[in-house]
Amino acid sequence: MKPDRSLAAALGEGVLVLDGGLSNQLEAQGCDLSDALWSARLLADAPEQIEAAHAAYVRAGAQVVITSSYQATFEGFARRGIERAETARLLARSVELARAAGERTEREIWVAASVGPYGAMLADGSEYRGRYGMSVAELERFHRPRIEVLAEAGADVLALETVPDVYEAEALLRAVGRSGSVPVWLSYTVEGAHTRAGQRLEDAFGLAAGLDQVVAVGVNCCDPADAGPAAEIAAAVTGKPVVVYPNSGERWDAGTRRWHGGTTFAPTTTAGWHTSGARLIGGCCRVGPDTVAALAASLTTTP
């Protein structure tokens, strides 16, 4: 059901379970995502599949559901001949589908509208490198229209996620600052103690330290081994609740469009993330409903 409390209020009372990877669940449902628009294509072609994927995570115990708008942009849909008004409708639909899945339970379900990085629109793995050769002002102009639509669509929070560098984080924070008072979380994709672009996490998290609109900071779409140390840095630098949702531990090869390696995500290790300050805990790519269910079970026993 739609929550009575704000996400910030809920985070002040305890830990919340995030969902897992949307794309892997859609593939498990038989969807073909071999497309530059990735899961965003289904907003137009098969919205019922997106709602079903969200519902699978709600059944697994997720309390926060992230929308399918990660790779949904005005520019990306324009390449398919979709006009701006229709793109805005599809972005709003991403929030509606997540909300509808949340209505299938009596538990409070918060909807986080995904705002992916510029590199996601390029569909070439650039979100794992950053430094696109664009200015902060140019990145802000890219992000602002989508942020405005998602903010108006009624999401509980905007998830500024998989951010690869400080410059894009600055652009995103500028854009949300000019789009009303909707709360946001800021989540970097990292490698060790640095952003993917090589900046110190202390500096990266510092951007959000004094911003009341940012209700959580942290990491996602990274190796699980990097999550705990990054959570400690985020908490120490900002004093805010920390959001952590790494990948399964497998690595994505953008050239071959395949995952390599084995799974290292273990729900039992998340107690350490919680001790480090994490209050929003879940999974990203290749983390499915079964793992989220195990994660939810482990967090209910976390002191």
Side-chain angles (χ1 to χ4, degrees):
M1 67 178 184
K2 190 171 182 178
D4 294 325
R5 300 172 293 167
S6 69
L7 184 67
L11 291 177
E13 298 174 8
V15 64
L16 296 179
V17 180
L18 280 168
D19 59 8
L22 182 62
S23 61
N24 46 270
Q25 178 57 26
L26 288 169
E27 287 174 338
Q29 293 172 194
C31 300
D32 180 7
L33 302 184
S34 58
D35 186 279
L37 285 174
W38 204 30
S39 57
R41 177 184 64 81
L42 300 180
L43 285 170
D45 296 347
E48 71 283 356
Q49 292 283 6
I50 293 175
E51 183 178 341
H54 290 320
Y57 284 113
V58 171
R59 289 193 301 272
Q63 296 162 283
V64 181
V65 176
I66 303 175
T67 68
S68 54
S69 50
Y70 175 80
Q71 208 147 328
T73 64
F74 287 96
E75 291 80 1
F77 279 120
R79 296 192 190 113
R80 298 299 178 85
I82 298 176
E83 296 181 353
R84 292 185 70 84
E86 177 63 10
T87 295
R89 191 180 71 83
L90 293 175
L91 285 166
R93 175 182 283 176
S94 73
V95 175
E96 294 164 3
L97 294 169
R99 186 72 73 194
E103 291 296 333
R104 301 187 185 195
T105 179
E106 294 301 313
R107 292 183 291 109
E108 289 181 296
I109 303 294
W110 286 265
V111 172
S114 174
V115 181
Y118 177 82
M121 183 270 294
L122 300 177
D124 62 358
S126 294
E127 65 262 53
Y128 300 115
R129 299 189 297 271
R131 297 184 182 274
Y132 314 112
M134 300 173 67
S135 68
V136 171
E138 289 172 322
L139 287 168
E140 181 187 352
R141 284 195 294 272
F142 167 78
H143 284 296
R144 191 187 304 162
R146 178 171 52 151
I147 283 172
E148 289 174 346
V149 171
L150 291 171
E152 292 174 0
D156 299 300
V157 62
L158 299 182
L160 313 179
E161 59 176 354
T162 323
V163 180
D165 65 42
V166 171
Y167 305 112
E168 186 153 28
E170 183 179 352
L172 285 161
L173 292 173
R174 284 188 188 180
V176 298
R178 297 174 181 176
S179 300
S181 58
V182 60
V184 306
W185 80 57
L186 174 64
S187 179
Y188 290 93
T189 177
V190 303
E191 192 158 10
H194 297 82
T195 67
R196 295 286 185 154
Q199 299 121 342
R200 297 169 67 247
L201 288 185
E202 289 84 353
D203 299 327
F205 292 130
L207 287 179
L211 300 178
D212 292 340
Q213 194 172 359
V214 180
V215 297
V217 295
V219 295
N220 78 290
C221 214
C222 62
D223 193 298
D226 291 332
E232 291 184 8
I233 296 171
V237 170
T238 69
K240 295 178 181 290
V242 176
V243 55
V244 175
Y245 51 119
N247 292 336
S248 66
E250 299 161 273
R251 289 187 173 271
W252 173 251
D253 184 328
T256 62
R257 298 188 67 81
R258 292 181 179 275
W259 291 93
H260 301 279
T263 298
T264 60
F265 188 108
T268 54
T269 67
T270 59
W273 302 347
H274 182 260
T275 301
S276 298
R279 296 296 177 268
L280 277 165
I281 302 177
C284 201
C285 300
R286 308 283 282 182
V287 176
D290 289 347
T291 304
V292 169
L295 172 63
S298 70
L299 289 175
T300 59
T301 61
T302 298

